[in-house]
Structure formats: structure tokens, C-alpha cells
């Protein structure tokens, strides 16, 4: 099976503090690669070196189309505790096109399996959160059946993060965790989206490891939102 990919929702520009290209450079790279839609999801304020809430409040001034690419401008918010608190206020979240919620070591230290799982399930109750980012990091032990059941219940999308599967990534045991997650997503019919997590423009739309894992799992193409902008819009009510 060959997976069609016309969009990448998880990328970062220099505004995130540890990425290296501008918004225009990222959009141009996405256009050159033949994508139709690009998500720019900067790290939220609790990530060291990232932008303040003012940055996200002012995204209204940025065009939503550059170089023929439709842009979704949003945020990768940090889950801060098992209660699902995040580091952007509702008034800011309301103005964003897409919101990814993730666990990062600088912002929440790993807890017990129950605490880590509760963090994901609690943030899923937030109506502004669209995607759970890289829920495959073995440093955060997770009940994957509960995670997938939660995504089904709350209508959230789970990310298959390509960077997690690369040898230089610091996340642990991602391959085994993603295999389990995909098996359960097939069982519960929960959609996934591949994300590059690109911090440099040449990495946009690079899904080699993720696509290979989908092939291995014989994962249903109709559950992979990268296949079309229309499928993404329908799932996430964009």
C-alpha cells in the first residue's frame, strides 16, 4: 500500500527557539515539495526559548496562503500535569487554526503510568486541542488502550511522529509503542496523522519511517489524514 501525503501539520520555525528557518522558508519548502497544506505549530511559552502568548495572539496578521500553500498557524502546547493543564489561555487558543498537545520533559516530568495517561486523557477534554503529539515516548509510560479509547471518545487525532522513529531522536521505545498504538487505532477506527516534527525546512513532509511503519501494520489508508485536505477538514472541523 502506498500512502498519499499532501499535508504536514507539525513543523516549527525559528520562533520556537530551537528551530532554524523562517515561516516563509518553511512555506516555500512545502510548496517545492508539492504539498497542499502546511501546519506551523510553534512551541508554547513553557518550552525554554520559545515565543510568548503575544506571538500566538498576533498570528492574525500572517497570510494563510503563501507560495500556493494553505497555512494552518497554531501551536504545540505543553501538557503541564495529570489534570491536563496547558500553557496557553482559552482566549489565545480560540484564535489558532490547529492545536497539538504534547508531553515534553522541560514542562512535565514523567509520572506513573496512570499519571501520564491521565495527562493525555484530561487534555483531550479541551475542545481546542485537535491532535495528541508524539504519544510514543517511552520515558512517559502510557496505557495505550486507554489513550486510543480516549481519542475515540473525544474525537481527537493521534500523531504518528516521524522524528520519533529516527535514530537521533531522544524519545525512547517509540517503534514498539507506535506499533501498539497503530494496532489499537485499527481496532477502534481512530484516525492518525503523520507529522514530520520538522525543525528545518528540508525535513518538511519527510515521512519515510512513519510510512514504512504504516505499511508494516497494513494500516487502513482511510484512517490516515495526510491523504487529503478534505479528509483533514472533515475530521477536525476546520
Amino acid at each position: 500500500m502506498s500512502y498519499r501525503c499532501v499535508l504536514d501539520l507539525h513543523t516549527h520555525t525559528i520562533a520556537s527557539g530551537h528551530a532554524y528557518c523562517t515561516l516563509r522558508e518553511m512555506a516555500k519548502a512545502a510548496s517545492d515539495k508539492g504539498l497542499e497544506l502546511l501546519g506551523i505549530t510553534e512551541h508554547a511559552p513553557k518550552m525554554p526559548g520559545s515565543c510568548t502568548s503575544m506571538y500566538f495572539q498576533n498570528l492574525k496578521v500572517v497570510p494563510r496562503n503563501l507560495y500556493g500553500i494553505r497555512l494552518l498557524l497554531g501551536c504545540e502546547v505543553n501538557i503541564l500535569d495529570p489534570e491536563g493543564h496547558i500553557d496557553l489561555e482559552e482566549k489565545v487558543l480560540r484564535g489558532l487554526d490547529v492545536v497539538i498537545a504534547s508531553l515534553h520533559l522541560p514542562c512535565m516530568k514523567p509520572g506513573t503510568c496512570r499519571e501520564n495517561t491521565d495527562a493525555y486523557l484530561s487534555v483531550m477534554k479541551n475542545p481546542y486541542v485537535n491532535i495528541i503529539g508524539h504519544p510514543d515516548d517511552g520515558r512517559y509510560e502510557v496505557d495505550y488502550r486507554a489513550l486510543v479509547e480516549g481519542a475515540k471518545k473525544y474525537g481527537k487525532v493521534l500523531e504518528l511522529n516521524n522524528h520519533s522513529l529516527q535514530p537521533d531522536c531522544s524519545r525512547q521505545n517509540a517503534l514498539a509503542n507506535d506499533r501498539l498504538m497503530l494496532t489499537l487505532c485499527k481496532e477502534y477506527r481512530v484516525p492518525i496523522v503523520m507529522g514530520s516534527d520538522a525543525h528545518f525546512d528540508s525535513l518538511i513532509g519527510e515521512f519515510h519511517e512513519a510510512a514504512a511503519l504504516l505499511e508494516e501494520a497494513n494500516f487502513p489508508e482511510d484512517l490516515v489524514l495526510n491523504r487529503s485536505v478534505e479528509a483533514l477538514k472533515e475530521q477536525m472541523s476546520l
Side-chain angles (χ1 to χ4, degrees), residues 62-103:
V62 182
R64 291 319 197 255
N65 191 296
L66 285 174
Y67 306 105
I69 290 289
R70 179 181 174 185
L71 295 180
L72 293 183
L73 303 180
C75 185
E76 183 179 13
V77 297
N78 298 291
I79 308 171
L80 304 177
D81 52 41
E83 289 72 43
H85 293 109
I86 56 177
D87 50 346
L88 278 183
E89 298 177 351
E90 180 179 344
K91 65 179 182 180
V92 181
L93 295 171
R94 281 198 299 265
L96 302 181
D97 300 329
V98 60
V99 177
I100 301 172
S102 304
L103 288 171

Side-chain angles (χ1 to χ4, degrees), residues 1-234:
M1 183 184 296
S2 178
Y3 294 90
R4 182 170 183 262
C5 298
V6 302
L7 57 91
D8 188 353
L9 288 182
H10 189 164
T11 71
H12 301 275
T13 78
I14 195 169
S16 280
H18 59 275
Y20 302 95
C21 296
T22 67
L23 195 153
R24 281 191 176 274
E25 288 169 335
M26 299 292 272
K28 182 64 165 59
S31 178
D32 290 345
K33 291 190 175 192
L35 295 185
E36 297 175 14
L37 183 148
L38 176 67
I40 302 287
T41 48
E42 308 296 5
H43 286 289
K46 289 292 185 182
M47 180 64 74
S50 194
C51 29
T52 68
S53 62
M54 181 61 70
Y55 175 91
F56 299 102
Q57 289 176 274
N58 201 42
L59 284 173
K60 60 184 180 291
V61 307
V62 182
R64 291 319 197 255
N65 191 296
L66 285 174
Y67 306 105
I69 290 289
R70 179 181 174 185
L71 295 180
L72 293 183
L73 303 180
C75 185
E76 183 179 13
V77 297
N78 298 291
I79 308 171
L80 304 177
D81 52 41
E83 289 72 43
H85 293 109
I86 56 177
D87 50 346
L88 278 183
E89 298 177 351
E90 180 179 344
K91 65 179 182 180
V92 181
L93 295 171
R94 281 198 299 265
L96 302 181
D97 300 329
V98 60
V99 177
I100 301 172
S102 304
L103 288 171
H104 293 111
L105 288 180
C107 304
M108 178 179 155
K109 301 305 180 186
T112 64
C113 180
R114 176 63 181 272
E115 289 170 336
N116 300 332
T117 304
D118 282 350
Y120 283 130
L121 297 180
S122 297
V123 84
M124 286 179 186
K125 298 175 184 178
N126 189 315
Y128 298 102
V129 170
N130 307 111
I131 299 166
I132 301 300
H134 50 73
D136 53 20
D137 188 347
R139 295 174 297 184
Y140 296 93
E141 185 182 358
V142 172
D143 179 340
Y144 280 96
R145 185 171 293 275
L147 177 80
V148 174
E149 287 178 344
K152 181 75 171 181
K153 178 179 179 179
Y154 295 109
K156 305 303 180 183
V157 177
L158 298 176
E159 182 191 45
L160 181 61
N161 188 288
N162 194 75
H163 179 55
S164 294
L165 298 167
Q166 295 173 326
D168 64 344
C169 186
S170 59
R171 298 171 199 143
Q172 298 175 5
N173 207 36
L175 180 58
N177 290 336
D178 282 329
R179 281 177 172 146
L180 175 56
M181 183 180 77
L182 291 177
T183 297
L184 292 165
C185 285
K186 286 173 64 176
E187 178 182 341
Y188 286 88
R189 297 285 301 170
V190 167
I192 65 99
V193 65
M194 291 185 286
S196 68
D197 207 349
H199 286 61
F200 196 78
D201 59 3
S202 63
L203 300 175
I204 290 171
E206 296 298 318
F207 302 126
H208 301 298
E209 288 81 5
L213 190 53
L214 292 176
E215 293 273 2
E216 175 193 301
N218 194 27
F219 196 79
E221 188 175 13
D222 67 317
L223 293 180
V224 183
L225 298 182
N226 304 76
R227 74 184 188 277
S228 79
V229 175
E230 287 305 314
L232 181 75
K233 288 168 62 177
E234 182 178 348

